[in-house]
Amino acid sequence: LSYTTLFRSVFITIVDGIGRLAGQYQLLETTSLNITTTYLPSGKYYYTIMENNNVLKTGSFIKLNTNSLEKE
């Protein structure tokens, strides 16, 4: 999963299909972030990208057994 932004205080939260926290990241002094998903078990995940408590973007992706990623 990767994201590029013009903002500098951005939080990205990833939860699994039943709402359990799978990862939480903050962009500090950078405008892009690549997140490795190899540690995640296969399944569907949802992400929220926020800045100053405002949602910038939401989405989902499916983690496959082969450590590859399909974006929805």
Side-chain angles (χ1 to χ4, degrees):
L1 180 63
S2 80
Y3 184 71
T4 302
T5 180
L6 298 174
F7 305 105
R8 295 197 181 243
S9 180
V10 174
F11 291 89
I12 300 172
T13 302
I14 300 173
V15 297
D16 67 11
I18 59 173
R20 292 180 299 199
L21 183 64
Q24 199 164 35
Y25 308 89
Q26 182 178 11
L27 275 71
L28 291 172
E29 302 301 323
T30 185
T31 58
S32 66
L33 175 69
N34 289 314
I35 299 171
T36 301
T37 60
T38 55
Y39 69 93
L40 295 173
S42 62
K44 188 167 186 175
Y45 293 86
Y46 300 90
Y47 62 89
T48 304
I49 301 172
M50 298 184 71
E51 190 249 345
N52 292 330
N53 291 325
N54 295 314
V55 174
L56 300 177
K57 184 174 182 172
T58 61
S60 64
F61 62 90
I62 297 173
K63 171 68 178 354
L64 303 176
N65 286 333
T66 60
N67 290 331
S68 62
L69 185 67
E70 271 186 34
K71 204 172 173 186
E72 282 193 64

